Amino acid sequence: EVTGTAGLEALFRESSRFHLEVVERRAAELEEFFEQGRKLVGLQTALVERALKTLPLRAEPMALLRTAISIVGLHDPEGDSGLVDRMRNQAVRVMAKTPTLVATMGRLRQGQSPVTPDLSCGHAASFLAMLHARPPTDEEARALDAYFVLLAEHGFNASTFAARTVTGTQSDYYSAIVAALGTLKGPLHGAANQ
C-alpha cells in the first residue's frame, strides 16, 4: 500500500525507470521492425496497382481495401500460414503495404497516377506524400502520426473482435484483416472508416 505524496512520488519514479528500461531494450528491436517494414513498402506495388486497375474504382473504398489485402495475401509465400511467427511477418507486410494500397486507391479513384513510396521519411509522411503527390508539412505528418496512435489504442471493438476470432481459429493474418475490414465497413461500427 502506498500512502502520502512521498510514496506516490517513489512509485512514479520506479514506474518511470521501469518504463525507460523497457523502452531502451525495445528500441533496437523496434528499429529492426520498422526497417523490415520499410524494405517491404514498395514490394508488389506494380502487381497491386495492376490488380486495383481491374477493380471497379467507384466501389466503396473499404470494399476495395478488403479486396486489395486479399490480393497481397495471395502473393505472400507465407500467406496461408496461421503459425504465430509467420503471422508476425504477415502483419509487418500488411502494415508496410497498407498506406501504399490506400494512397494508390485514392489516386486511381481520382484519375491520377500512383506515387512511389518515399522510404526516407516516416510512415505517415510517406502516406501523405503518396496521397497528395507532395511532401507533407511537419504539422500534417505529426497530426497523422497522432491519429494512427489513437487508432492503434482504440481498444476492443467489433473489428478487433472479428480479427481475433479469425486468428483464434489459426487462420492466416490476411483473413483476419479482411474480416476486420468487413466489420469496420459496417455502419454500426460507428462510421469509424468515414
Side-chain angles (χ1 to χ4, degrees), residues 143-188:
L144 187 56
D145 271 328
Y147 180 68
F148 285 160
V149 168
L150 291 174
L151 290 176
E153 294 294 328
H154 191 57
F156 193 69
N157 53 43
S159 55
T160 304
F161 178 76
R164 286 183 174 195
T165 300
V166 173
T167 58
T169 68
Q170 293 186 338
S171 186
D172 62 282
Y173 188 81
Y174 296 98
S175 295
I177 296 302
V178 167
L181 288 169
T183 306
L184 183 61
K185 182 177 177 284
L188 295 182

mmCIF file of all heavy atoms in Angstrom, residues 143-188:
data_model
loop_
_atom_site.group_PDB
_atom_site.id
_atom_site.type_symbol
_atom_site.label_atom_id
_atom_site.label_comp_id
_atom_site.label_asym_id
_atom_site.label_seq_id
_atom_site.Cartn_x
_atom_site.Cartn_y
_atom_site.Cartn_z
ATOM 1 N N ALA A 143 0.323 15.224 -37.164
ATOM 2 C CA ALA A 143 -1.111 15.027 -36.899
ATOM 3 C C ALA A 143 -1.546 13.626 -37.312
ATOM 4 O O ALA A 143 -2.284 12.960 -36.580
ATOM 5 C CB ALA A 143 -1.930 16.086 -37.635
ATOM 6 N N LEU A 144 -1.089 13.162 -38.477
ATOM 7 C CA LEU A 144 -1.478 11.827 -38.917
ATOM 8 C C LEU A 144 -0.820 10.758 -38.042
ATOM 9 O O LEU A 144 -1.452 9.748 -37.722
ATOM 10 C CB LEU A 144 -1.136 11.607 -40.394
ATOM 11 C CG LEU A 144 -1.667 10.301 -40.986
ATOM 12 C CD1 LEU A 144 -3.182 10.174 -40.821
ATOM 13 C CD2 LEU A 144 -1.289 10.193 -42.455
ATOM 14 N N ASP A 145 0.416 10.980 -37.630
ATOM 15 C CA ASP A 145 1.058 10.044 -36.690
ATOM 16 C C ASP A 145 0.237 9.935 -35.410
ATOM 17 O O ASP A 145 0.013 8.835 -34.900
ATOM 18 C CB ASP A 145 2.484 10.507 -36.345
ATOM 19 C CG ASP A 145 3.527 9.967 -37.304
ATOM 20 O OD1 ASP A 145 3.341 8.854 -37.823
ATOM 21 O OD2 ASP A 145 4.526 10.666 -37.523
ATOM 22 N N ALA A 146 -0.215 11.068 -34.886
ATOM 23 C CA ALA A 146 -1.021 11.070 -33.659
ATOM 24 C C ALA A 146 -2.329 10.313 -33.888
ATOM 25 O O ALA A 146 -2.764 9.539 -33.037
ATOM 26 C CB ALA A 146 -1.305 12.500 -33.208
ATOM 27 N N TYR A 147 -2.936 10.514 -35.039
ATOM 28 C CA TYR A 147 -4.181 9.816 -35.367
ATOM 29 C C TYR A 147 -3.943 8.308 -35.437
ATOM 30 O O TYR A 147 -4.750 7.526 -34.920
ATOM 31 C CB TYR A 147 -4.730 10.349 -36.694
ATOM 32 C CG TYR A 147 -6.012 9.688 -37.124
ATOM 33 C CD1 TYR A 147 -7.195 9.889 -36.412
ATOM 34 C CD2 TYR A 147 -6.044 8.863 -38.243
ATOM 35 C CE1 TYR A 147 -8.375 9.275 -36.805
ATOM 36 C CE2 TYR A 147 -7.229 8.256 -38.636
ATOM 37 C CZ TYR A 147 -8.390 8.467 -37.917
ATOM 38 O OH TYR A 147 -9.552 7.864 -38.310
ATOM 39 N N PHE A 148 -2.834 7.897 -36.052
ATOM 40 C CA PHE A 148 -2.510 6.471 -36.117
ATOM 41 C C PHE A 148 -2.361 5.873 -34.721
ATOM 42 O O PHE A 148 -2.808 4.757 -34.460
ATOM 43 C CB PHE A 148 -1.226 6.231 -36.922
ATOM 44 C CG PHE A 148 -1.379 6.366 -38.417
ATOM 45 C CD1 PHE A 148 -0.274 6.592 -39.205
ATOM 46 C CD2 PHE A 148 -2.610 6.260 -39.039
ATOM 47 C CE1 PHE A 148 -0.379 6.693 -40.590
ATOM 48 C CE2 PHE A 148 -2.746 6.359 -40.418
ATOM 49 C CZ PHE A 148 -1.625 6.579 -41.192
ATOM 50 N N VAL A 149 -1.731 6.615 -33.812
ATOM 51 C CA VAL A 149 -1.574 6.133 -32.435
ATOM 52 C C VAL A 149 -2.947 5.976 -31.783
ATOM 53 O O VAL A 149 -3.223 4.970 -31.121
ATOM 54 C CB VAL A 149 -0.675 7.081 -31.604
ATOM 55 C CG1 VAL A 149 -0.742 6.741 -30.121
ATOM 56 C CG2 VAL A 149 0.755 7.017 -32.111
ATOM 57 N N LEU A 150 -3.819 6.948 -31.985
ATOM 58 C CA LEU A 150 -5.164 6.859 -31.416
ATOM 59 C C LEU A 150 -5.912 5.649 -31.967
ATOM 60 O O LEU A 150 -6.621 4.961 -31.230
ATOM 61 C CB LEU A 150 -5.957 8.133 -31.701
ATOM 62 C CG LEU A 150 -5.485 9.373 -30.959
ATOM 63 C CD1 LEU A 150 -6.253 10.604 -31.446
ATOM 64 C CD2 LEU A 150 -5.632 9.208 -29.464
ATOM 65 N N LEU A 151 -5.764 5.374 -33.236
ATOM 66 C CA LEU A 151 -6.412 4.199 -33.828
ATOM 67 C C LEU A 151 -5.844 2.910 -33.240
ATOM 68 O O LEU A 151 -6.585 1.969 -32.965
ATOM 69 C CB LEU A 151 -6.245 4.185 -35.346
ATOM 70 C CG LEU A 151 -7.019 5.243 -36.125
ATOM 71 C CD1 LEU A 151 -6.677 5.153 -37.600
ATOM 72 C CD2 LEU A 151 -8.512 5.110 -35.911
ATOM 73 N N ALA A 152 -4.531 2.870 -33.051
ATOM 74 C CA ALA A 152 -3.895 1.676 -32.503
ATOM 75 C C ALA A 152 -4.323 1.431 -31.061
ATOM 76 O O ALA A 152 -4.382 0.287 -30.609
ATOM 77 C CB ALA A 152 -2.373 1.798 -32.586
ATOM 78 N N GLU A 153 -4.641 2.486 -30.336
ATOM 79 C CA GLU A 153 -5.041 2.385 -28.931
ATOM 80 C C GLU A 153 -6.552 2.332 -28.779
ATOM 81 O O GLU A 153 -7.085 2.576 -27.711
ATOM 82 C CB GLU A 153 -4.476 3.586 -28.148
ATOM 83 C CG GLU A 153 -2.972 3.616 -28.059
ATOM 84 C CD GLU A 153 -2.433 2.462 -27.236
ATOM 85 O OE1 GLU A 153 -3.104 2.019 -26.284
ATOM 86 O OE2 GLU A 153 -1.325 2.000 -27.548
ATOM 87 N N HIS A 154 -7.252 2.020 -29.854
ATOM 88 C CA HIS A 154 -8.713 2.090 -29.872
ATOM 89 C C HIS A 154 -9.372 1.100 -28.925
ATOM 90 O O HIS A 154 -10.468 1.308 -28.454
ATOM 91 C CB HIS A 154 -9.204 1.880 -31.307
ATOM 92 C CG HIS A 154 -10.645 2.170 -31.508
ATOM 93 N ND1 HIS A 154 -11.210 3.388 -31.205
ATOM 94 C CD2 HIS A 154 -11.654 1.406 -31.967
ATOM 95 C CE1 HIS A 154 -12.499 3.361 -31.473
ATOM 96 N NE2 HIS A 154 -12.796 2.167 -31.948
ATOM 97 N N GLY A 155 -8.725 0.005 -28.667
ATOM 98 C CA GLY A 155 -9.284 -0.962 -27.734
ATOM 99 C C GLY A 155 -9.963 -2.127 -28.421
ATOM 100 O O GLY A 155 -9.676 -2.457 -29.556
ATOM 101 N N PHE A 156 -10.905 -2.704 -27.707
ATOM 102 C CA PHE A 156 -11.553 -3.927 -28.175
ATOM 103 C C PHE A 156 -12.924 -3.577 -28.744
ATOM 104 O O PHE A 156 -13.891 -3.434 -28.025
ATOM 105 C CB PHE A 156 -11.658 -4.913 -27.012
ATOM 106 C CG PHE A 156 -12.022 -6.299 -27.453
ATOM 107 C CD1 PHE A 156 -11.128 -7.059 -28.177
ATOM 108 C CD2 PHE A 156 -13.265 -6.832 -27.153
ATOM 109 C CE1 PHE A 156 -11.455 -8.342 -28.593
ATOM 110 C CE2 PHE A 156 -13.596 -8.116 -27.558
ATOM 111 C CZ PHE A 156 -12.690 -8.867 -28.280
ATOM 112 N N ASN A 157 -13.003 -3.427 -30.062
ATOM 113 C CA ASN A 157 -14.247 -3.092 -30.730
ATOM 114 C C ASN A 157 -14.670 -4.256 -31.634
ATOM 115 O O ASN A 157 -14.041 -5.309 -31.630
ATOM 116 C CB ASN A 157 -14.072 -1.794 -31.523
ATOM 117 C CG ASN A 157 -12.879 -1.884 -32.452
ATOM 118 O OD1 ASN A 157 -12.672 -2.900 -33.110
ATOM 119 N ND2 ASN A 157 -12.065 -0.852 -32.490
ATOM 120 N N ALA A 158 -15.684 -4.047 -32.437
ATOM 121 C CA ALA A 158 -16.218 -5.125 -33.276
ATOM 122 C C ALA A 158 -15.201 -5.634 -34.295
ATOM 123 O O ALA A 158 -15.071 -6.847 -34.501
ATOM 124 C CB ALA A 158 -17.483 -4.648 -33.991
ATOM 125 N N SER A 159 -14.460 -4.727 -34.922
ATOM 126 C CA SER A 159 -13.484 -5.172 -35.932
ATOM 127 C C SER A 159 -12.320 -5.913 -35.282
ATOM 128 O O SER A 159 -11.824 -6.906 -35.828
ATOM 129 C CB SER A 159 -12.989 -3.996 -36.777
ATOM 130 O OG SER A 159 -12.474 -2.971 -35.978
ATOM 131 N N THR A 160 -11.893 -5.459 -34.119
ATOM 132 C CA THR A 160 -10.845 -6.168 -33.390
ATOM 133 C C THR A 160 -11.336 -7.551 -32.982
ATOM 134 O O THR A 160 -10.610 -8.545 -33.107
ATOM 135 C CB THR A 160 -10.421 -5.378 -32.133
ATOM 136 O OG1 THR A 160 -10.025 -4.069 -32.525
ATOM 137 C CG2 THR A 160 -9.281 -6.052 -31.406
ATOM 138 N N PHE A 161 -12.574 -7.624 -32.520
ATOM 139 C CA PHE A 161 -13.159 -8.908 -32.140
ATOM 140 C C PHE A 161 -13.190 -9.854 -33.341
ATOM 141 O O PHE A 161 -12.843 -11.039 -33.222
ATOM 142 C CB PHE A 161 -14.575 -8.709 -31.577
ATOM 143 C CG PHE A 161 -15.246 -9.995 -31.202
ATOM 144 C CD1 PHE A 161 -14.900 -10.665 -30.036
ATOM 145 C CD2 PHE A 161 -16.215 -10.545 -32.025
ATOM 146 C CE1 PHE A 161 -15.512 -11.857 -29.687
ATOM 147 C CE2 PHE A 161 -16.832 -11.741 -31.685
ATOM 148 C CZ PHE A 161 -16.480 -12.398 -30.517
ATOM 149 N N ALA A 162 -13.592 -9.335 -34.504
ATOM 150 C CA ALA A 162 -13.645 -10.174 -35.710
ATOM 151 C C ALA A 162 -12.261 -10.710 -36.054
ATOM 152 O O ALA A 162 -12.094 -11.898 -36.350
ATOM 153 C CB ALA A 162 -14.221 -9.379 -36.882
ATOM 154 N N ALA A 163 -11.253 -9.839 -36.014
ATOM 155 C CA ALA A 163 -9.889 -10.273 -36.333
ATOM 156 C C ALA A 163 -9.398 -11.308 -35.327
ATOM 157 O O ALA A 163 -8.773 -12.310 -35.710
ATOM 158 C CB ALA A 163 -8.943 -9.073 -36.362
ATOM 159 N N ARG A 164 -9.678 -11.084 -34.052
ATOM 160 C CA ARG A 164 -9.242 -12.040 -33.022
ATOM 161 C C ARG A 164 -9.949 -13.384 -33.179
ATOM 162 O O ARG A 164 -9.355 -14.433 -32.935
ATOM 163 C CB ARG A 164 -9.502 -11.478 -31.628
ATOM 164 C CG ARG A 164 -8.531 -10.396 -31.255
ATOM 165 C CD ARG A 164 -8.797 -9.925 -29.847
ATOM 166 N NE ARG A 164 -7.780 -8.984 -29.448
ATOM 167 C CZ ARG A 164 -7.577 -8.626 -28.182
ATOM 168 N NH1 ARG A 164 -8.323 -9.139 -27.216
ATOM 169 N NH2 ARG A 164 -6.644 -7.764 -27.889
ATOM 170 N N THR A 165 -11.207 -13.344 -33.571
ATOM 171 C CA THR A 165 -11.943 -14.585 -33.788
ATOM 172 C C THR A 165 -11.298 -15.395 -34.902
ATOM 173 O O THR A 165 -11.093 -16.604 -34.777
ATOM 174 C CB THR A 165 -13.421 -14.288 -34.120
ATOM 175 O OG1 THR A 165 -13.998 -13.573 -33.019
ATOM 176 C CG2 THR A 165 -14.204 -15.562 -34.377
ATOM 177 N N VAL A 166 -10.943 -14.719 -35.991
ATOM 178 C CA VAL A 166 -10.314 -15.412 -37.126
ATOM 179 C C VAL A 166 -8.945 -15.961 -36.728
ATOM 180 O O VAL A 166 -8.631 -17.123 -37.009
ATOM 181 C CB VAL A 166 -10.212 -14.491 -38.361
ATOM 182 C CG1 VAL A 166 -9.403 -15.142 -39.469
ATOM 183 C CG2 VAL A 166 -11.609 -14.131 -38.868
ATOM 184 N N THR A 167 -8.120 -15.164 -36.067
ATOM 185 C CA THR A 167 -6.797 -15.668 -35.672
ATOM 186 C C THR A 167 -6.923 -16.772 -34.629
ATOM 187 O O THR A 167 -6.072 -17.663 -34.575
ATOM 188 C CB THR A 167 -5.869 -14.550 -35.144
ATOM 189 O OG1 THR A 167 -6.493 -13.908 -34.032
ATOM 190 C CG2 THR A 167 -5.551 -13.539 -36.219
ATOM 191 N N GLY A 168 -7.981 -16.742 -33.850
ATOM 192 C CA GLY A 168 -8.211 -17.787 -32.860
ATOM 193 C C GLY A 168 -8.458 -19.154 -33.485
ATOM 194 O O GLY A 168 -8.308 -20.181 -32.830
ATOM 195 N N THR A 169 -8.821 -19.153 -34.755
ATOM 196 C CA THR A 169 -9.013 -20.421 -35.466
ATOM 197 C C THR A 169 -7.724 -20.883 -36.141
ATOM 198 O O THR A 169 -7.723 -21.883 -36.842
ATOM 199 C CB THR A 169 -10.108 -20.292 -36.542
ATOM 200 O OG1 THR A 169 -9.655 -19.422 -37.579
ATOM 201 C CG2 THR A 169 -11.415 -19.794 -35.956
ATOM 202 N N GLN A 170 -6.649 -20.144 -35.941
ATOM 203 C CA GLN A 170 -5.337 -20.362 -36.560
ATOM 204 C C GLN A 170 -5.373 -20.169 -38.077
ATOM 205 O O GLN A 170 -4.584 -20.755 -38.810
ATOM 206 C CB GLN A 170 -4.747 -21.721 -36.189
ATOM 207 C CG GLN A 170 -4.396 -21.810 -34.736
ATOM 208 C CD GLN A 170 -3.675 -23.088 -34.378
ATOM 209 O OE1 GLN A 170 -3.755 -24.100 -35.072
ATOM 210 N NE2 GLN A 170 -2.946 -23.039 -33.284
ATOM 211 N N SER A 171 -6.297 -19.326 -38.519
ATOM 212 C CA SER A 171 -6.295 -18.922 -39.920
ATOM 213 C C SER A 171 -5.175 -17.898 -40.101
ATOM 214 O O SER A 171 -4.545 -17.480 -39.135
ATOM 215 C CB SER A 171 -7.645 -18.313 -40.303
ATOM 216 O OG SER A 171 -7.709 -18.054 -41.688
ATOM 217 N N ASP A 172 -4.938 -17.479 -41.328
ATOM 218 C CA ASP A 172 -3.850 -16.545 -41.600
ATOM 219 C C ASP A 172 -4.238 -15.109 -41.256
ATOM 220 O O ASP A 172 -5.406 -14.779 -41.095
ATOM 221 C CB ASP A 172 -3.440 -16.643 -43.073
ATOM 222 C CG ASP A 172 -4.579 -16.258 -43.992
ATOM 223 O OD1 ASP A 172 -5.485 -17.092 -44.202
ATOM 224 O OD2 ASP A 172 -4.574 -15.117 -44.497
ATOM 225 N N TYR A 173 -3.220 -14.268 -41.166
ATOM 226 C CA TYR A 173 -3.390 -12.865 -40.789
ATOM 227 C C TYR A 173 -4.208 -12.100 -41.825
ATOM 228 O O TYR A 173 -5.026 -11.252 -41.474
ATOM 229 C CB TYR A 173 -2.005 -12.233 -40.610
ATOM 230 C CG TYR A 173 -2.045 -10.845 -40.041
ATOM 231 C CD1 TYR A 173 -2.192 -10.645 -38.673
ATOM 232 C CD2 TYR A 173 -1.918 -9.731 -40.861
ATOM 233 C CE1 TYR A 173 -2.222 -9.377 -38.134
ATOM 234 C CE2 TYR A 173 -1.939 -8.451 -40.327
ATOM 235 C CZ TYR A 173 -2.097 -8.281 -38.967
ATOM 236 O OH TYR A 173 -2.127 -7.027 -38.443
ATOM 237 N N TYR A 174 -4.001 -12.399 -43.106
ATOM 238 C CA TYR A 174 -4.739 -11.697 -44.161
ATOM 239 C C TYR A 174 -6.234 -11.931 -44.011
ATOM 240 O O TYR A 174 -7.038 -11.008 -44.171
ATOM 241 C CB TYR A 174 -4.252 -12.129 -45.541
ATOM 242 C CG TYR A 174 -2.819 -11.748 -45.777
ATOM 243 C CD1 TYR A 174 -1.798 -12.669 -45.590
ATOM 244 C CD2 TYR A 174 -2.472 -10.447 -46.146
ATOM 245 C CE1 TYR A 174 -0.471 -12.308 -45.785
ATOM 246 C CE2 TYR A 174 -1.151 -10.081 -46.338
ATOM 247 C CZ TYR A 174 -0.149 -11.018 -46.149
ATOM 248 O OH TYR A 174 1.155 -10.653 -46.333
ATOM 249 N N SER A 175 -6.638 -13.158 -43.698
ATOM 250 C CA SER A 175 -8.050 -13.455 -43.483
ATOM 251 C C SER A 175 -8.591 -12.665 -42.292
ATOM 252 O O SER A 175 -9.724 -12.173 -42.326
ATOM 253 C CB SER A 175 -8.255 -14.952 -43.254
ATOM 254 O OG SER A 175 -7.924 -15.681 -44.411
ATOM 255 N N ALA A 176 -7.782 -12.529 -41.251
ATOM 256 C CA ALA A 176 -8.205 -11.766 -40.073
ATOM 257 C C ALA A 176 -8.402 -10.298 -40.420
ATOM 258 O O ALA A 176 -9.385 -9.672 -39.995
ATOM 259 C CB ALA A 176 -7.178 -11.923 -38.953
ATOM 260 N N ILE A 177 -7.496 -9.750 -41.204
ATOM 261 C CA ILE A 177 -7.614 -8.335 -41.584
ATOM 262 C C ILE A 177 -8.812 -8.125 -42.497
ATOM 263 O O ILE A 177 -9.546 -7.143 -42.368
ATOM 264 C CB ILE A 177 -6.304 -7.828 -42.232
ATOM 265 C CG1 ILE A 177 -5.173 -7.872 -41.199
ATOM 266 C CG2 ILE A 177 -6.469 -6.419 -42.802
ATOM 267 C CD1 ILE A 177 -5.427 -7.058 -39.939
ATOM 268 N N VAL A 178 -9.034 -9.053 -43.422
ATOM 269 C CA VAL A 178 -10.200 -8.953 -44.304
ATOM 270 C C VAL A 178 -11.487 -8.983 -43.473
ATOM 271 O O VAL A 178 -12.409 -8.197 -43.710
ATOM 272 C CB VAL A 178 -10.172 -10.060 -45.381
ATOM 273 C CG1 VAL A 178 -11.502 -10.176 -46.096
ATOM 274 C CG2 VAL A 178 -9.056 -9.773 -46.384
ATOM 275 N N ALA A 179 -11.554 -9.869 -42.481
ATOM 276 C CA ALA A 179 -12.727 -9.926 -41.604
ATOM 277 C C ALA A 179 -12.883 -8.619 -40.828
ATOM 278 O O ALA A 179 -13.997 -8.094 -40.690
ATOM 279 C CB ALA A 179 -12.610 -11.107 -40.645
ATOM 280 N N ALA A 180 -11.789 -8.096 -40.327
ATOM 281 C CA ALA A 180 -11.836 -6.830 -39.583
ATOM 282 C C ALA A 180 -12.299 -5.688 -40.484
ATOM 283 O O ALA A 180 -13.113 -4.853 -40.067
ATOM 284 C CB ALA A 180 -10.464 -6.518 -38.996
ATOM 285 N N LEU A 181 -11.809 -5.644 -41.713
ATOM 286 C CA LEU A 181 -12.226 -4.591 -42.642
ATOM 287 C C LEU A 181 -13.699 -4.714 -42.996
ATOM 288 O O LEU A 181 -14.408 -3.711 -43.104
ATOM 289 C CB LEU A 181 -11.369 -4.623 -43.911
ATOM 290 C CG LEU A 181 -9.932 -4.142 -43.746
ATOM 291 C CD1 LEU A 181 -9.114 -4.463 -44.981
ATOM 292 C CD2 LEU A 181 -9.898 -2.659 -43.434
ATOM 293 N N GLY A 182 -14.169 -5.950 -43.178
ATOM 294 C CA GLY A 182 -15.587 -6.148 -43.438
ATOM 295 C C GLY A 182 -16.435 -5.658 -42.279
ATOM 296 O O GLY A 182 -17.501 -5.060 -42.471
ATOM 297 N N THR A 183 -15.975 -5.868 -41.066
ATOM 298 C CA THR A 183 -16.689 -5.413 -39.875
ATOM 299 C C THR A 183 -16.603 -3.895 -39.759
ATOM 300 O O THR A 183 -17.600 -3.224 -39.483
ATOM 301 C CB THR A 183 -16.095 -6.080 -38.619
ATOM 302 O OG1 THR A 183 -16.096 -7.491 -38.816
ATOM 303 C CG2 THR A 183 -16.891 -5.740 -37.380
ATOM 304 N N LEU A 184 -15.442 -3.351 -39.990
ATOM 305 C CA LEU A 184 -15.237 -1.900 -39.915
ATOM 306 C C LEU A 184 -16.095 -1.168 -40.939
ATOM 307 O O LEU A 184 -16.546 -0.051 -40.707
ATOM 308 C CB LEU A 184 -13.756 -1.573 -40.142
ATOM 309 C CG LEU A 184 -13.322 -0.127 -40.024
ATOM 310 C CD1 LEU A 184 -13.593 0.405 -38.628
ATOM 311 C CD2 LEU A 184 -11.851 -0.005 -40.360
ATOM 312 N N LYS A 185 -16.353 -1.807 -42.058
ATOM 313 C CA LYS A 185 -17.152 -1.224 -43.129
ATOM 314 C C LYS A 185 -18.608 -1.023 -42.706
ATOM 315 O O LYS A 185 -19.311 -0.161 -43.220
ATOM 316 C CB LYS A 185 -17.074 -2.139 -44.359
ATOM 317 C CG LYS A 185 -17.796 -1.663 -45.577
ATOM 318 C CD LYS A 185 -17.555 -2.662 -46.716
ATOM 319 C CE LYS A 185 -18.310 -2.289 -47.952
ATOM 320 N NZ LYS A 185 -19.732 -2.592 -47.840
ATOM 321 N N GLY A 186 -19.080 -1.799 -41.748
ATOM 322 C CA GLY A 186 -20.479 -1.716 -41.324
ATOM 323 C C GLY A 186 -20.832 -0.421 -40.642
ATOM 324 O O GLY A 186 -20.057 0.102 -39.844
ATOM 325 N N PRO A 187 -22.010 0.121 -40.954
ATOM 326 C CA PRO A 187 -22.399 1.411 -40.363
ATOM 327 C C PRO A 187 -22.584 1.372 -38.849
ATOM 328 O O PRO A 187 -22.485 2.398 -38.192
ATOM 329 C CB PRO A 187 -23.728 1.733 -41.072
ATOM 330 C CG PRO A 187 -24.236 0.424 -41.572
ATOM 331 C CD PRO A 187 -23.016 -0.426 -41.840
ATOM 332 N N LEU A 188 -22.808 0.192 -38.279
ATOM 333 C CA LEU A 188 -22.990 0.115 -36.839
ATOM 334 C C LEU A 188 -21.666 0.068 -36.091
ATOM 335 O O LEU A 188 -21.640 0.004 -34.862
ATOM 336 C CB LEU A 188 -23.852 -1.094 -36.466
ATOM 337 C CG LEU A 188 -25.289 -1.022 -36.963
ATOM 338 C CD1 LEU A 188 -26.080 -2.243 -36.505
ATOM 339 C CD2 LEU A 188 -25.975 0.262 -36.501
#
